[in-house]
Amino acid sequence: MAPAHPLSWDEEGRPRSDIYDEAFFTGGRAEVEHVYLGGNGLPARWHGWTGPFHLAELGFGTGLNFAVALAAWREAGAPGPLQVTSIEHAPLPLAAQRRAIAPWSDLWALAEPFLAAFTAAPGWQEVGHGEVTLSLGIGEAEVLIGDVAPADAWFLDGFSPARNPAMWTPTLLSAVARATRPGGTAATFTAAGQVRRTLAEVGFTVERRPGFARKRHMTAAVLDRS
């Protein structure tokens, strides 16, 4: 089994990584909607979408990103199936995920059937419910990303490059570009210059946008069509 992610909880009940000394999230649902959904042009892109949509993620964490995306997908009424593929090095136990998402009871109701099906075993696991399939890879991102089919949108890691540099290497971001369809998008909390430069070098058109709440900036990117 992969080692569980050691974490603590702040005074407001939010999870904090003891590995990276950083919160998994600060603004919860609204923050995910602003950064990850908004940064990828979702759910607007889903209105009238006719085929399957592939959403990929680096760092599954609490599962909140998945839950928010799933809620938005179903509310948008997109007719095609949704495939979500996520990679996580140190998974959180189900009890921690439940505690993190519990303030949004509707999100937990959507996510629990998926999250409860996974174990901490290394490698790939998959569970499907209705039109949605979640594939979760436990292990090193630079290894597992080679298995990821081209995605329409990416949620890049939630921890900053200073805290978790392994998720922001040129090698990994090059692999992200290869696993993105032309015109596909990516979004992240960080607006670090090195991240933006590397994304541009591997083929993305990069935009620095207003961040959520007290965070001044975030990054949104579109893979150049070719």
Side-chain angles (χ1 to χ4, degrees):
M1 294 292 178
H5 196 130
L7 75 163
S8 53
W9 302 84
D10 68 16
E11 63 278 3
E12 296 185 38
R14 297 171 301 199
R16 186 175 185 86
S17 168
D18 292 342
I19 298 176
Y20 306 116
D21 191 27
E22 192 169 40
F24 281 89
F25 56 78
T26 56
R29 181 179 197 160
E31 185 178 34
V32 173
E33 290 172 343
H34 177 88
V35 174
Y36 286 127
L37 296 190
N40 282 288
L42 307 173
R45 289 169 65 192
W46 290 334
H47 293 293
W49 191 273
T50 56
F53 192 93
H54 184 196
L55 174 62
E57 179 181 42
L58 293 179
F60 189 71
T62 64
L64 179 62
N65 296 346
F66 166 71
V68 172
L70 177 55
W73 168 265
R74 289 189 168 162
E75 185 175 349
L82 175 65
Q83 169 69 48
V84 180
T85 304
S86 188
I87 297 172
E88 176 59 59
H89 173 64
L92 269 65
L94 181 64
Q97 293 174 320
R98 180 187 298 111
R99 181 175 174 182
I101 301 176
W104 305 277
S105 58
D106 62 319
L107 296 183
W108 178 247
L110 288 174
E112 182 181 19
F114 294 89
L115 303 188
F118 291 109
T119 71
W124 288 100
Q125 303 169 62
E126 184 172 280
V127 61
H129 290 283
E131 80 285 13
V132 179
T133 301
L134 173 61
S135 298
L136 180 61
I138 305 297
E140 297 294 336
E142 288 191 0
V143 175
L144 293 176
I145 197 169
D147 299 326
V148 178
D152 299 290
W154 276 90
F155 294 175
L156 301 181
D157 194 58
F159 295 115
S160 70
R163 303 289 186 177
N164 189 14
M167 297 297 266
W168 302 101
T169 65
T171 299
L172 185 57
L173 293 182
S174 293
V176 167
R178 290 193 297 272
T180 305
R181 292 190 176 122
T185 59
T188 174
F189 293 95
T190 184
Q194 185 57 53
V195 168
R196 290 186 285 113
R197 287 189 293 271
T198 303
L199 286 170
E201 288 167 1
V202 300
F204 286 90
T205 296
V206 182
E207 181 183 359
R208 188 173 68 171
R209 294 185 183 179
F212 180 81
R214 292 178 293 177
K215 194 173 189 313
R216 291 181 61 191
H217 300 112
M218 56 166 280
T219 298
V222 180
L223 188 70
D224 295 339
R225 296 180 183 274
S226 59

